[in-house]
Amino acid sequence: MRSAGRLISRGICTRCTCTGQRRAFASAPLNKLHHSKLTFSQLTRAGTAPHALARSWRQYTLAASVDQTTAGFKATIGLELHVQLLAAQKLFSAASAKWNEPPNTNVNVADAGFPGALPQLNPECVQLAARAILALNGQIQLRSAFDRKHYFYADQPLGYQITQQLHPIGRGGYVDLGLLDGLEYVKRIGIHQLQLEQDTAKSIHGVYPGHVLVDLNRAGVALIEIVSKPDVDTADEAVMYVRKMQNLLRHIGVSNCNMEEGSLRCDVNVSVYRDGEDRLSGTRCELKNLNSLKVIRGAVNAEISRQIAVVQRGDNVEQETRGYDAQSETTFVTRTKEAAPDYRYMPEPDVPEIHINESWITRLRKTLPETPEAVMSRMMSQYGLAQEDVETMLGEPGCTAFFEQAVVGRDPKRVLSWITSEVFGQLAYRSQRLADSLLTVPQFTQIIDALSSDAITPGQAKQLLIEFMDGEQRTVDKLIAAHGWEVISDDGKLRVISKQLLDTHPKEVARYLKGQTRRLNFFVGKLMQATNGQAKPQNASEIMKELLEARR
Amino acid sequence: MDEFGMGSLNQSSVHGPAHNLHPENGNVLHSPGGSSGGSAAAVAARMCRVALGSDTGGSVRLPASWCGVVGFKPSYGRVSRYGLVSYASSLDSVGIVARSTRDIRDTFNIVSAPDPHDMTCMSKSLRLRIDKLCASREWISHATAASEPLKGVRVGVPSEFWVDELSPSAIDAWKRGAAKLESLGCDIIPVSLPHTPHTLPAYYTLALAEASSNLARFDGVRFGTRHPPTQSSRASLKYAQTRTLGFGDEVKRRILLGTFVMSARAYENYYLPSQRIRRLVQR
């Protein structure tokens, strides 16, 4: 493991949520990252070069891991991820599932629970769930069914949620974590099951005192709940698992997996046990409302510490549901075991069983894209790229495809550097995703080719990139003409201008002839100025030198 | 009809009870039956030619019989339930009441159609398959013969249906019906449906469980009358006042029982065995 920085002293870093050790980091990006309190994605948007940051991020995650084997205790952790599917319509109604629309506009009678309304299963959701199961190496169940989970709450218009408790659509599967994910060893996290279910409405408290505002837009949107086996041992593994899941599900187009937007929500179950005893012997607590990777890490570590302290005192850990307070870095009780509701599960009578056949699965499997790991190893060997570079591209949906189309017959390193520095920089500035950008592969390759053939300078290339991303439709050739950037390669013309310059600066000519050969740069500079930077630099230099020598 | 289809006497409607057109003792008003008592009474009173009702456990057939008209409950899944206020989703059927079987048949041909809005409504392909299967049965080809049009049809009469509670007039009607079928060429065969005694408790358990689930949406938030809570504390109590005042007594009784049989303690003892009995009956 690469050393991540000098250890200064023990104590809690007051400026971030790491606990245990205060560190100064050798590299500036890492230092900035560690103490900035910004998330990874926020820093990327701020313009720090993504691939350098990716490297620093991995170091950071390794460094920030708190050694949990204190006093001979270990932790058992399981995660439940609720992932919003990218289907256009909801799971059981034809209303739009689009995010961030004006309140109560994407609602129909089935979502609002009007009497006489019935659920209608959206096949696209089944397909997306099946894709996720295949990508996670799970088994798609040929027969699955829905259940009703009953509870009264403002965000539950029907008084029950349609979910798959007993007969989920997916069972089994796993996620492998390793070096590529920032783990120094290899670890397989098993998946227990994957089930389809409805999302709740959004209830907003605190706007009108004594009232709750209910927005039904989200009610009925399709979710898959991915329940892992309790294979995770540390907070770091938990975070890596979530990140890996995000990458995977984004890659296959199942979800945006965006924790800020709520398309990915994470609950974690934590228990502790003494080293040597059974992993599942501890009482587990559920941590809910963890809304970022940083919070997940902090909450899990805080809960492990709390449970260890309880057991060391001689008390019993109570089975509870807890939340996390990032300010105090502690977990707090939100619901005790006694208050846990009885959900009165009942088979959903309005929706028949889903029957899937093998040929449908086979056809679906063919539509899955290459796994990120396969893409990684192939691109590293095929184009001679470094792991971080491919990782950076994998982090932006559509980027690897963009690269592979653009790189045909071109230098991979140049194409890569232009994508990850210039294009990504522009995307960050516009808060845009590559998939939504107006830049096309032909436009991009035209810029690269023009640059390679010295038809334009890097500065001009950057300007063209900006123009394309702003919607420019003309070709590079036309744009070069429109801007008047044609390189003046006509030597005759250059000579004329050069002669004029030499005539107007006799003192400098004299200095050059005396032996100050660096005066050449002065004249080249003047020539470039006179031609608005459009003389070919080598030409300019040669011609100037020739003319100066001729005046000896 | 009885509120939410719950009742057999058409007494628990918010609009007051419906009355049977045929009084027995002059000035005593009799029940038309329920829960679709109003539909049957209207047809019997010639207010309309055909009426729709909902039949979950006899709620169209019973009032039709009590009012002296024809009541028909199609097989579950024949008629779409989209738009029908759900009582017990896996048992509800839209039924038809009329004064003649011809009117019933004509109405049925119109309303019995596939509907994508209702996933439990039989699809077009399934209907065609069933039609094809029936057409291949031998006795259909005999149906045109004048003297014994139903020759070859075997009609089973369950022996378990002969219960102590059967009134003499009911037994009489039953016997006359069997005789009529025999005269048309049917073979009347006694059969045994051994699970019959258990079916009523199982029905009530399942129907009430599903009803308590289907009526959970009536909370006064998005539609209906809302009664503000007397003590606004926990979210679960916010609906209590609306539901207490909004539902009639019979409905409240059934919701409470239905909730009970689905609760964690009672599920194994009531709901699960009822589901098993249902499977046995289906076989």
Side-chain angles (χ1 to χ4, degrees):
Chain A
M1 167 185 160
R2 287 221 294 269
S3 138
R6 291 176 297 116
L7 185 62
I8 292 184
S9 63
R10 289 204 161 268
I12 298 187
C13 177
T14 53
R15 289 200 280 164
C16 67
T17 60
C18 78
T19 57
Q21 292 139 339
R22 231 165 75 210
R23 294 172 189 272
F25 289 93
S27 73
L30 200 55
N31 216 15
K32 183 178 181 181
L33 175 67
H34 186 77
H35 290 109
S36 66
K37 269 197 172 312
L38 294 176
T39 63
F40 177 49
S41 51
Q42 282 170 319
L43 271 173
T44 315
R45 293 213 185 303
T48 316
H51 49 277
L53 203 56
R55 207 177 314 127
S56 311
W57 179 251
R58 211 176 14 266
Q59 285 178 320
Y60 166 66
T61 57
L62 287 171
S65 70
V66 177
D67 191 350
Q68 290 297 335
T69 54
T70 46
F73 278 94
K74 287 204 169 142
T76 307
I77 300 165
L79 290 99
E80 290 166 13
L81 298 178
H82 292 85
V83 175
Q84 261 186 5
L85 296 181
L86 273 174
Q89 293 168 305
K90 298 183 180 180
L91 180 56
F92 285 112
S93 91
S96 162
K98 224 164 143 210
W99 177 70
N100 221 18
E101 301 269 283
N104 289 314
T105 47
N106 291 339
V107 189
N108 70 14
V109 288
D111 305 323
F114 275 57
L118 291 173
Q120 224 181 320
L121 182 60
N122 179 353
E124 190 189 357
C125 299
V126 178
Q127 204 178 65
L128 288 172
R131 282 169 76 90
I133 297 165
L134 288 177
L136 293 167
N137 307 293
Q139 286 79 49
I140 299 178
Q141 301 301 294
L142 300 181
R143 290 171 71 150
S144 61
F146 288 93
D147 301 301
R148 291 185 184 178
K149 176 180 178 183
H150 298 88
Y151 61 95
F152 287 103
Y153 200 64
D155 65 10
Q156 200 60 275
L158 276 78
Y160 58 84
Q161 177 200 34
I162 304 181
T163 174
Q164 292 185 309
Q165 175 70 4
L166 281 175
H167 304 287
I169 186 172
R171 290 193 198 271
Y174 54 84
V175 161
D176 282 330
L177 301 175
L179 280 170
L180 287 137
D181 311 291
L183 201 58
E184 23 176 49
Y185 47 90
V186 176
K187 178 83 179 266
R188 175 165 285 191
I189 314 286
I191 289 170
H192 174 58
Q193 71 183 45
L194 186 151
Q195 64 201 61
L196 276 166
E197 60 183 33
Q198 290 178 312
D199 206 347
T200 59
K202 223 185 280 191
S203 53
I204 301 154
H205 304 263
V207 178
Y208 294 113
H211 287 79
V212 179
L213 299 176
V214 178
D215 175 10
L216 294 174
N217 280 353
R218 204 181 67 180
V221 169
L223 296 177
I224 40 172
E225 179 174 342
I226 306 174
V227 183
S228 83
K229 292 193 178 146
D231 292 342
V232 177
D233 295 319
T234 67
D236 284 332
E237 285 177 14
V239 170
M240 281 173 213
Y241 169 82
V242 176
R243 197 179 298 124
K244 182 99 184 207
M245 198 62 85
Q246 283 178 311
N247 288 339
L248 195 60
L249 295 177
R250 281 182 192 146
H251 184 71
I252 58 174
V254 160
S255 171
N256 283 331
C257 281
N258 197 322
M259 291 189 86
E260 292 92 43
E261 290 173 3
S263 46
L264 171 69
R265 280 163 253 159
C266 183
D267 298 334
V268 186
N269 290 301
V270 180
S271 70
V272 296
Y273 63 100
R274 284 187 200 275
D275 204 352
E277 286 182 6
D278 178 50
R279 289 194 80 225
L280 301 171
S281 56
T283 309
R284 74 179 137 125
C285 289
E286 189 182 15
L287 303 172
K288 284 180 96 83
N289 287 327
L290 309 173
N291 51 20
S292 76
L293 294 177
K294 207 167 178 185
V295 164
I296 294 174
R297 173 176 286 110
V300 171
N301 279 331
E303 180 62 12
I304 292 173
S305 306
R306 180 193 78 89
Q307 290 194 12
I308 291 175
V310 166
V311 175
Q312 280 177 326
R313 275 207 303 268
D315 285 336
N316 290 325
V317 175
E318 298 294 327
Q319 190 186 334
E320 290 159 340
T321 303
R322 301 178 73 91
Y324 178 64
D325 174 23
Q327 285 291 84
S328 64
E329 293 166 15
T330 57
T331 63
F332 57 92
V333 183
T334 56
R335 192 170 61 203
T336 62
K337 183 181 178 186
E338 286 73 38
D342 176 8
Y343 291 116
R344 291 175 281 120
Y345 286 98
M346 178 184 96
E348 170 58 74
D350 288 327
V351 181
E353 275 184 9
I354 302 178
H355 288 186
I356 292 173
N357 60 44
E358 294 286 0
S359 65
W360 184 85
I361 297 177
T362 311
R363 271 179 285 134
L364 188 72
R365 207 185 284 272
K366 292 205 182 94
T367 66
L368 277 181
E370 238 177 324
T371 65
E373 282 88 3
V375 173
M376 174 82 73
S377 48
R378 183 175 61 76
M379 287 183 76
M380 279 169 72
S381 60
Q382 194 173 344
Y383 306 108
L385 300 173
Q387 175 192 311
E388 294 119 2
D389 301 324
V390 187
E391 255 182 16
T392 308
M393 288 201 284
L394 281 170
E396 181 65 44
C399 185
T400 50
F402 191 99
F403 172 89
E404 294 209 80
Q405 286 169 51
V407 83
V408 178
R410 293 179 187 89
D411 173 24
K413 292 280 185 313
R414 169 168 267 173
V415 173
L416 170 80
S417 123
W418 265 84
I419 289 178
T420 55
S421 315
E422 300 305 330
V423 176
F424 275 22
Q426 285 301 319
L427 289 174
Y429 175 70
R430 291 147 205 273
S431 294
Q432 228 180 17
R433 304 240 72 146
L434 182 63
D436 303 320
S437 163
L438 296 169
L439 181 70
T440 65
V441 174
Q443 287 171 337
F444 178 75
T445 54
Q446 279 176 26
I447 295 178
I448 299 287
D449 291 341
L451 197 58
S452 303
S453 64
D454 285 334
I456 52 175
T457 66
Q460 291 166 339
K462 191 165 179 177
Q463 191 176 333
L464 287 177
L465 181 67
I466 292 173
E467 286 173 14
F468 281 138
M469 290 180 83
D470 283 338
E472 177 61 63
Q473 291 296 310
R474 291 175 283 181
T475 62
V476 163
D477 292 335
K478 292 222 168 56
L479 285 169
I480 289 175
H483 284 296
W485 285 343
E486 288 100 342
V487 173
I488 301 174
S489 42
D490 178 4
D491 282 4
K493 207 168 167 191
L494 284 174
R495 280 171 197 281
V496 167
I497 303 174
S498 307
K499 279 214 181 86
Q500 280 175 342
L501 283 170
L502 290 178
D503 292 338
T504 42
H505 298 279
K507 278 207 198 119
E508 306 295 331
V509 177
R511 283 202 189 122
Y512 176 85
L513 293 174
K514 271 208 201 112
Q516 292 180 20
T517 48
R518 282 211 261 148
R519 289 291 101 196
L520 174 66
N521 295 341
F522 170 77
F523 280 109
V524 172
K526 283 285 175 197
L527 179 59
M528 296 301 276
Q529 227 181 350
T531 59
N532 277 331
Q534 274 149 257
K536 245 184 169 178
Q538 298 94 300
N539 270 19
S541 190
E542 281 165 14
I543 291 172
M544 264 306 170
K545 192 165 181 184
E546 196 193 305
L547 290 173
L548 279 166
E549 292 297 328
R551 296 215 175 183
R552 271 194 202 281
Chain B
M1 69 188 290
D2 281 303
E3 192 181 352
F4 288 107
M6 297 179 180
S8 311
L9 295 173
N10 217 130
Q11 279 191 319
S12 31
S13 164
V14 121
H15 304 290
H19 298 301
N20 197 324
L21 194 62
H22 309 292
E24 201 169 288
N25 297 331
N27 43 2
V28 174
L29 292 170
H30 285 259
S31 159
S35 57
S36 298
S39 303
V43 168
R46 304 184 108 84
M47 289 180 193
C48 57
R49 187 159 163 185
V50 172
L52 294 176
S54 82
D55 191 317
T56 305
S59 297
V60 160
R61 295 164 283 170
L62 188 150
S65 158
W66 287 17
C67 291
V69 291
V70 186
F72 174 57
K73 176 201 169 296
S75 300
Y76 179 85
R78 276 282 175 189
V79 180
S80 168
R81 287 185 298 114
Y82 185 66
L84 175 71
V85 180
S86 290
Y87 163 13
S89 309
S90 68
L91 298 162
D92 289 343
S93 307
V94 173
I96 306 166
V97 184
R99 290 184 295 280
S100 74
T101 50
R102 186 187 300 126
D103 286 343
I104 302 263
R105 185 196 61 200
D106 292 343
T107 312
F108 178 69
N109 287 338
I110 297 168
V111 299
S112 170
D115 183 7
H117 283 115
D118 176 2
M119 291 189 81
T120 60
C121 186
M122 286 161 59
S123 65
K124 186 160 181 189
S125 58
L126 179 57
R127 290 167 199 255
L128 287 172
R129 254 195 299 149
I130 293 174
D131 289 345
K132 216 166 135 188
L133 188 66
C134 291
S136 71
R137 289 283 157 87
E138 256 185 52
W139 47 264
I140 294 288
S141 54
H142 294 309
T144 49
S147 60
E148 286 196 319
L150 294 176
K151 185 166 174 66
V153 177
R154 293 155 75 231
V155 176
V157 177
S159 47
E160 286 84 0
F161 283 18
W162 191 287
V163 293
D164 295 334
E165 291 85 348
L166 273 182
S167 67
S169 57
I171 295 173
D172 186 49
W174 206 7
K175 283 185 174 163
R176 280 191 287 116
K180 175 77 180 174
L181 287 170
E182 221 169 3
S183 73
L184 291 170
C186 292
D187 297 322
I188 307 293
I189 301 162
V191 295
S192 170
L193 300 176
H195 306 291
T196 304
H198 307 295
T199 52
L200 195 59
Y203 160 76
Y204 269 115
T205 307
L206 295 173
L208 265 52
E210 290 191 22
S212 74
S213 173
N214 285 324
L215 267 59
R217 65 188 68 190
F218 294 93
D219 50 22
V221 173
R222 298 164 307 288
F223 54 86
T225 314
R226 191 190 305 186
H227 298 278
T230 47
Q231 274 176 307
S232 48
S233 47
R234 285 158 51 209
S236 54
L237 294 179
K238 285 192 166 69
Y239 305 152
Q241 192 69 355
T242 297
R243 290 166 68 83
T244 304
L245 295 175
F247 286 134
D249 286 337
E250 182 62 28
V251 175
K252 282 191 283 220
R253 195 173 297 135
R254 295 197 187 196
I255 291 175
L256 287 169
L257 277 172
T259 310
F260 171 71
V261 300
M262 285 212 295
S263 67
R265 292 175 296 150
Y267 189 81
E268 304 267 308
N269 297 325
Y270 294 95
Y271 189 82
L272 269 188
S274 301
Q275 286 279 48
R276 285 189 203 117
I277 293 169
R278 184 183 189 160
R279 292 281 163 269
L280 290 170
V281 168
Q282 282 172 331
R283 272 182 217 137

